[in-house]
Amino acid sequence: MTIDLAQHSLANRFETVSADYTHKTNQDEMLLRSWRRTGPDTFTVTAAWPAAHRFYVSRLGLYDPLLLSETVRQTLPLLSHGAYQVPFGHQLLWKDFSWTLDPAAAQADGDPAELELHISCHDVTYRRDRASAISLTVEVERDGRLLATAHSRFTIQDRTVYNRLRGTYADATAATARAVPLPPPAGLSPFGRDRFEDVVLAATDRPDHWQLRVDTTHPVLFDHLVDHAPGMLLLEAARQAALATAHPHPMAVTGMDSDFVRYAEMDAPCLLVTERLTEPGRVRVSARQHDRDIFTSLVTLATAPRCDVAKAAMDVGFDGIELHSANGYLPEQFLSSNSNHRTDKYGGSPEKRCTFVLELMEALAKTIGQDNLAIRLSPFGLFNQARSEQRVETWTHLCRELKQRLPQLSYVSFIEPRYEQIFSEAEKQRFLESWNLPNVDLSSFRAIFGDTPFFSAGGFDDTNSWGVIESGKYDALVYGRDLIINPDIPE
C-alpha cells in the first residue's frame, strides 16, 4: 500500500492537534499539542503534561505515570485519522500496550512538562484504502532527555463491522444503563489516591482480589459515552492494584506490559486479581469477568526517591543539602561492587551501579535546586569495608554524568586517599596498583568537574594546608576531626 503524503507531506511544519483527533470531548483533557510527519511511517508529536491535574496527581515527587499512558493513547486516533485515512466513527481497539519510564526524568517540578514524542509505525495492515491495524514504537523525550519508551498495537473496525460483532452491546446508551451498581471504594492511601471518587477498586472477601468500580460519571475516565469499560480504566485499576500489594511501602509504577484480551462489559462484575512474582518489584494483575481473563498487566514497581526531608530542611532555613555518598554509607554501597550484587538497572556494571546516586541527585535537584545541592564522594574510600573493584570506571562515569546532568551544583566534596583502614602493606600496594594511575589522587576528578567548586577533606592540618587553595589545586579545604574533638577551635 502506497501512502498518499499529500494530506500531510514531509515538508509540512507542525500542525495543531484538534480535540476530535484525540477522541476527547473535554478539550482541557487534551495532552497533545502539535504533530508532523517526518517519514512515510514516522512522526513527531509534541505534548504537555499539566503542572496540576484533578485526576493525574503527582505522587512521590513524580508525574502520574498514567499521563504517559493517556498521552500515547491520544496518538492512536491522531495518527489513524490524520495519517492513515481512517474515517471518524471507526472504532480503535487496543491489543497490547507496554511502556517503561525513567523516574529520574519524571520528576514533577511544579511546572508543566513539555514533551516530544518520536513515533515509528510498523506492521501496518490495510483494508482497501485505510489502515486496519497499526503497531507503533514511541520514544518520549522531556527537555531533550529520554523519559519513556512505549510499544502498542491496535486494530481499527468500521462501525458496521463493530456493530455486528458487538450485537446489543454496541448501544452505548443501553450499555451504560445496564452498568452494575457502583460499590464503595476500597480505601485511599493503599491505592495511591487522595479522593474516593478516583479509586477504581472495591473490596471483596478475598485478599488481593478487588471488584472494578465502573463509574460512568467519572469526568476523566468516562469523557464520553462508551459501550464498555475503557482501556484507561483497566490500566488505572492495574496500577492501583499493584500499589496496594506494596502498601505501606511508597512505590511508584515505572512500567506496564498489558494485553487487552476481551471487552470489559459494564453489566457484570469484573474482578482484579494480583499475583506477586518472584522477581522483585513485579506484580501480575489480571482482570476476570465470567471466569475468563479479559485483561492482564505485568506491572513494575520501584522505590521513588523521597526528597521531603531536603525540602523541609530548606523550608526551615538551611543553606543547602550535601548528599553523603562516601564512607561506605548507603549511596556508596550502591557504587561499590563488593556490596552491590544487584542484577537489575542498579547493578552489574560500573554504569548501572551509579544509577541510584544519579537518580537521587536529580530528584534532590528538582526539589531544592542545583545551586542548593552538593555531594560528597570517596572514590578511594575503604571505610566500612568498602572494597569495590572497577573504581576508576565507576567514579569516573559518576563524575562525568553529574557534571553533564547537574552543571550548576553548589560544590562537590571529595575525601583524600587515606589508608588507615588497610591492615597490611601488601593490601595497600594491591589497592594502589588497582587504580593503574601514575598518581593516586583527586586530580582526574578535579579535571572532570572543571569550574564546579571542588572541596577536599582528609588529613589536612596546620602543617599541610598552607598554599593549597592559592595553588588552584582545590577551591576549599574541609576539616572534620579536629573541630569535632575541639569545639573551641572555630572561636
Side-chain angles (χ1 to χ4, degrees), residues 379-382 386-388 391 417-419 422 425-436 440:
F380 306 100
L382 299 161
R387 294 295 187 271
S388 181
R391 291 184 181 234
R418 299 175 71 168
Y419 308 111
I422 291 181
E425 185 63 26
E427 184 182 4
K428 176 180 177 180
Q429 289 304 314
R430 285 196 302 271
F431 175 74
L432 294 174
E433 291 169 1
S434 71
W435 284 88
N436 195 30
V440 179

Side-chain angles (χ1 to χ4, degrees), residues 228-308:
H228 59 275
M232 285 298 297
L233 173 60
L234 296 175
L235 293 174
E236 173 64 17
R239 186 263 292 270
Q240 291 187 17
L243 291 177
T245 66
H247 183 74
H249 304 291
M251 305 290 281
V253 175
T254 59
M256 298 182 77
D257 189 348
S258 306
D259 288 302
F260 299 84
V261 182
R262 292 180 174 86
Y263 297 102
E265 308 297 359
M266 297 189 288
D267 63 352
C270 177
L271 287 181
L272 276 293
V273 182
T274 59
E275 176 190 358
R276 298 172 179 86
L277 303 184
T278 55
E279 186 178 356
R282 303 275 267 184
V283 180
R284 178 179 287 111
V285 182
S286 303
R288 310 204 76 214
Q289 194 171 56
H290 300 302
D291 295 324
R292 297 185 300 182
D293 284 347
I294 62 170
F295 165 85
T296 61
S297 185
L298 185 61
V299 182
T300 302
L301 299 173
T303 303
R306 295 296 300 273
C307 303
D308 311 42

Side-chain angles (χ1 to χ4, degrees), residues 41 65 79 105 114 131-132 139 183 189 200 205 281 287 304-305 328 434 459 469 472 483:
D41 292 292
L79 297 181
E114 301 295 330
S132 59
E139 291 187 348
S189 57
V200 301
D205 58 357
S434 71
I469 304 303
L483 300 186

Side-chain angles (χ1 to χ4, degrees), residues 161-400:
V161 173
Y162 183 79
N163 288 346
R164 186 169 65 248
L165 292 175
R166 294 287 287 149
T168 58
Y169 283 104
D171 186 335
T173 301
T176 300
R178 291 194 303 267
V180 298
L182 194 63
L188 280 178
S189 57
F191 308 100
R193 285 297 179 181
D194 55 12
R195 302 193 314 169
F196 283 114
E197 56 264 39
D198 293 332
V199 176
V200 301
L201 300 177
T204 70
D205 58 357
R206 299 177 62 186
D208 296 332
H209 287 63
W210 292 273
Q211 181 179 337
L212 183 67
R213 300 182 71 242
V214 183
D215 181 1
T216 58
T217 67
H218 194 282
V220 177
L221 294 172
F222 286 82
D223 171 76
H224 55 276
L225 202 62
V226 291
D227 61 43
H228 59 275
M232 285 298 297
L233 173 60
L234 296 175
L235 293 174
E236 173 64 17
R239 186 263 292 270
Q240 291 187 17
L243 291 177
T245 66
H247 183 74
H249 304 291
M251 305 290 281
V253 175
T254 59
M256 298 182 77
D257 189 348
S258 306
D259 288 302
F260 299 84
V261 182
R262 292 180 174 86
Y263 297 102
E265 308 297 359
M266 297 189 288
D267 63 352
C270 177
L271 287 181
L272 276 293
V273 182
T274 59
E275 176 190 358
R276 298 172 179 86
L277 303 184
T278 55
E279 186 178 356
R282 303 275 267 184
V283 180
R284 178 179 287 111
V285 182
S286 303
R288 310 204 76 214
Q289 194 171 56
H290 300 302
D291 295 324
R292 297 185 300 182
D293 284 347
I294 62 170
F295 165 85
T296 61
S297 185
L298 185 61
V299 182
T300 302
L301 299 173
T303 303
R306 295 296 300 273
C307 303
D308 311 42
V309 175
K311 184 179 184 303
M314 298 299 294
D315 289 345
V316 300
F318 277 66
D319 295 318
I321 300 295
E322 178 185 282
L323 180 65
H324 200 329
S325 301
N327 292 352
Y329 299 128
L330 180 62
E332 189 174 58
Q333 290 174 25
F334 275 87
L335 298 172
S336 299
S337 61
N338 71 310
S339 55
N340 183 349
H341 299 156
R342 298 175 69 124
T343 57
D344 56 8
K345 73 171 186 174
Y346 294 103
S349 69
E351 295 78 13
K352 289 184 176 180
R353 287 194 292 271
C354 295
T355 302
F356 175 80
V357 174
L358 291 171
E359 286 185 355
L360 182 54
M361 285 292 288
E362 288 186 308
L364 287 166
K366 288 280 188 182
T367 304
I368 64 173
Q370 292 187 40
D371 54 348
N372 295 318
L373 179 62
I375 188 170
R376 167 166 267 207
L377 298 169
S378 57
F380 306 100
L382 299 161
F383 190 64
N384 282 332
Q385 293 300 307
R387 294 295 187 271
S388 181
E389 299 177 351
Q390 297 179 295
R391 291 184 181 234
V392 175
E393 298 87 344
T394 302
W395 271 265
T396 298
H397 174 76
L398 176 65
C399 292
R400 286 174 177 165

